[in-house]
Amino acid sequence: MDRLADDLSAEFQVLRAPTLEFGVNARTTAPYPGSAGVRRKTLHRMLNDLVGAWEAGGVREFIILTAHGQDPHQEALSTLRTRHATVRTVDIFAGEDRPVHGGEIDTSLLLYIDAELVDMTLAQDFDPTPRAVRRYFRGLSRAIPSDSSGSLGRPTMATRERGAELYRAIYDRIATRVFARPAISPARA
């Protein structure tokens, strides 16, 4: 998310706030090392406080990028309140009908952005049932089945080249739809 926000900020000359590294996560049957989330109400209040302070300082438009498509997370973001400012939330994975949680899409993007962070020998595929997919998006308990390693999808199919294609598509979609003009993707390797 940092890379995408940095690239958009540079091209369109907009201020960029620091990334909030936490969101509303699905409950799981077992904890996963390093995984943590906040409650919907906590995320909502935190962002309302930040947006309110920035609005009081003169900011009139906010674009919130998120890579988390679960309903409770999206609800926390879509119900922010301002006095006069405009708030737009952009789910960078909008339109995906499968969870993007450590599968081919996430892993390919990370291979493209910073391959040093990826150990493909640890990748484990897990194809969730259609019921598990519905429960994931709704943020219901046991959304990530206990027999999953924590990923949903096929990270073993990930490639750096696929990550580059995905990044360009995400970037161009946001540049065109949000900033209302065609953009050429950054050619960073």
Side-chain angles (χ1 to χ4, degrees):
M1 192 63 71
D2 284 331
R3 164 84 179 269
L4 181 61
D6 287 344
D7 288 347
L8 289 165
S9 174
E11 179 172 345
F12 296 102
Q13 299 298 298
V14 295
L15 292 176
R16 177 209 184 298
T19 302
L20 293 177
E21 300 291 341
F22 297 95
V24 182
N25 289 346
R27 294 180 213 128
T28 59
T29 55
Y32 294 98
S35 179
V38 297
R39 292 179 299 152
R40 183 193 57 77
K41 186 183 288 188
T42 303
L43 180 62
H44 178 79
R45 285 181 176 170
M46 180 179 5
L47 283 172
N48 262 334
D49 286 350
L50 291 170
V51 165
W54 291 323
E55 182 182 25
V59 178
R60 293 293 171 249
E61 183 173 9
F62 299 90
I63 299 167
I64 298 173
L65 300 177
T66 186
H68 204 49
Q70 289 183 299
D71 292 347
H73 181 84
Q74 292 289 334
E75 181 184 324
L77 300 178
S78 67
T79 56
L80 298 177
R81 300 189 59 140
T82 62
R83 291 184 185 268
H84 304 289
T86 302
V87 177
R88 292 186 284 169
T89 300
V90 177
D91 178 357
I92 69 165
F93 295 127
E96 290 295 326
D97 60 351
R98 305 281 290 174
V100 179
H101 195 279
E104 179 186 0
I105 293 173
D106 277 353
T107 307
S108 291
L109 283 167
L110 198 50
L111 283 168
Y112 170 66
I113 292 168
D114 193 348
E116 295 291 317
L117 297 175
V118 182
D119 182 352
M120 288 300 290
T121 65
L122 299 175
Q124 295 179 28
D125 293 346
F126 182 84
D127 285 321
T129 65
R131 182 174 186 260
V133 169
R134 284 190 305 276
R135 292 177 63 79
Y136 174 82
F137 281 113
R138 292 183 185 139
L140 301 173
S141 75
R142 296 193 178 120
I144 298 176
S146 60
D147 49 343
S148 166
S149 65
S151 67
L152 297 175
R154 296 179 172 231
T156 61
M157 304 291 289
T159 66
R160 185 178 193 285
E161 295 74 26
R162 175 80 171 121
E165 291 171 16
L166 289 164
Y167 185 85
R168 279 192 220 73
I170 291 167
Y171 184 95
D172 288 340
R173 187 177 71 240
I174 294 169
T176 302
R177 293 180 184 173
V178 175
F179 293 97
R181 62 184 169 119
I184 298 171
S185 300
R188 292 170 37 172

